[in-house]
Amino acid sequence: MEEELKPFVDWSWCAANPGTFVLADSRWYLDGSSGKDAYESGHLPGAVFIDLDQWLSGPASPGAGRNPLPDPEVFAQGMRDAGISDADTVVVYDDAGGVIAARLVWMLRSTGHKAAILNGGIAAYPGGLSTESSSRPKGNFSSRAWPAHLLADISEASSTAYLRLDARNTDRFEGRQDPVDPRPGHIPGAVNVPCRGNLDPSGQLLPELQIRANFERAGVESAQNIISYCGSGVTACHNLLVMEQLGMGQGKLFVGGWSQYSRAQERPVATTIQPDAPL
């Protein structure tokens, strides 16, 4: 029986399975810097570039947030153009320890495709980088609806029936600053589990026991009744995939995140860490 692919793989796995996966570069930057420029300056040999703004996000709006999910056909077209087919296994990397790559991996896995984050990102590759553009024959990737059971809307994200995990850095969670959204702070009752806290200084996942302890301190022992959010549904995927890696199951993604919630003026905002009632 074929072994199940976990959400994170080490480069040793890639080296042991040559020719069995598509390598994808999904670098993207909140400050607007070009991921494509970074790719062209140097990427892992053979990797294709997937543009988050073009293929992994729909049009931004106050009611949907900065990076809503795209129409499924748009996503499918982006995968086909990159040479990715339904049967392919995709290993995705970035230069941020996987917190950006998580978006593409979550989108693929949630629609039934095989995908994983390269643990440690581009720095995990032991060889030299390439500046040659990589191309593959057009793929036959099918359009599939986004799974409703893995998504949360703003009403669910506001509900105390769920434990809401905020994946942003603590300064943004506490409302000390917010460079991109109109109201600083967090959803009342949410707990802060910064996705970058899952990583060591090199961008590798921390040991499992340490990550599990970080989640347990936030009251998380299972992904059941968990909603993960961030600024706009990108890095929140990292916490979801880490929980899945640890065998906790699958939580829900609030894609609109703080970029949607903070623009809903009727919704209350918290700017200090709030104690959470037990579920």
Side-chain angles (χ1 to χ4, degrees), residues 49-113:
F49 179 71
I50 306 294
D51 190 304
L52 186 147
D53 290 318
Q54 184 175 11
W55 302 118
L56 310 185
S57 300
S61 72
R66 278 193 308 278
N67 297 109
L69 291 173
D71 183 273
E73 177 55 29
V74 171
F75 177 52
Q77 185 64 54
M79 297 303 99
R80 289 193 290 265
D81 288 354
I84 296 171
S85 297
D86 286 333
D88 286 329
T89 296
V90 185
V91 175
V92 189
Y93 71 87
D94 57 27
D95 55 7
V99 303
I100 304 301
R103 172 70 171 234
L104 174 53
V105 171
W106 183 90
M107 292 169 71
L108 288 166
R109 291 178 70 93
S110 71
T111 50
H113 300 94

Side-chain angles (χ1 to χ4, degrees), residues 16-42:
N17 293 276
T20 65
F21 61 91
V22 179
L23 194 58
D25 184 314
S26 69
R27 281 178 281 182
W28 177 84
Y29 305 99
L30 184 61
D31 66 4
S33 299
S34 171
K36 184 65 178 296
D37 286 350
Y39 170 83
E40 292 176 345
S41 295

Side-chain angles (χ1 to χ4, degrees), residues 215-233:
F215 276 91
E216 288 177 352
R217 278 194 291 271
V220 181
E221 296 183 357
S222 165
Q224 184 177 7
N225 289 330
I226 294 294
I227 291 175
S228 181
Y229 77 93
C230 57
S232 61

Side-chain angles (χ1 to χ4, degrees), residues 102-191:
R103 172 70 171 234
L104 174 53
V105 171
W106 183 90
M107 292 169 71
L108 288 166
R109 291 178 70 93
S110 71
T111 50
H113 300 94
K114 295 179 181 178
I117 295 171
L118 175 59
N119 187 22
I122 195 169
Y125 179 63
L129 301 182
S130 172
T131 57
E132 295 183 9
S133 294
S134 302
S135 62
R136 296 170 53 83
K138 195 176 185 69
N140 62 358
F141 197 94
S142 302
S143 175
R144 300 178 186 177
W146 303 117
H149 70 287
L150 296 180
L151 294 169
D153 60 22
I154 193 169
S155 295
E156 290 175 299
S158 303
S159 171
T160 57
Y162 296 91
L163 178 57
R164 285 69 50 81
L165 305 187
D166 189 317
R168 297 174 299 160
N169 291 343
T170 300
D171 58 346
R172 290 181 67 192
F173 174 81
E174 294 182 342
R176 286 183 272 136
Q177 63 95 22
D178 197 312
V180 287
D181 293 315
R183 291 194 291 169
H186 60 269
I187 299 172
V191 294

Side-chain angles (χ1 to χ4, degrees), residues 191-210:
V191 294
N192 190 208
V193 183
C195 62
R196 290 171 177 82
N198 298 322
L199 307 171
D200 68 18
S202 73
Q204 297 272 343
L205 284 176
L206 291 168
E208 179 178 327
L209 288 177
Q210 191 171 344

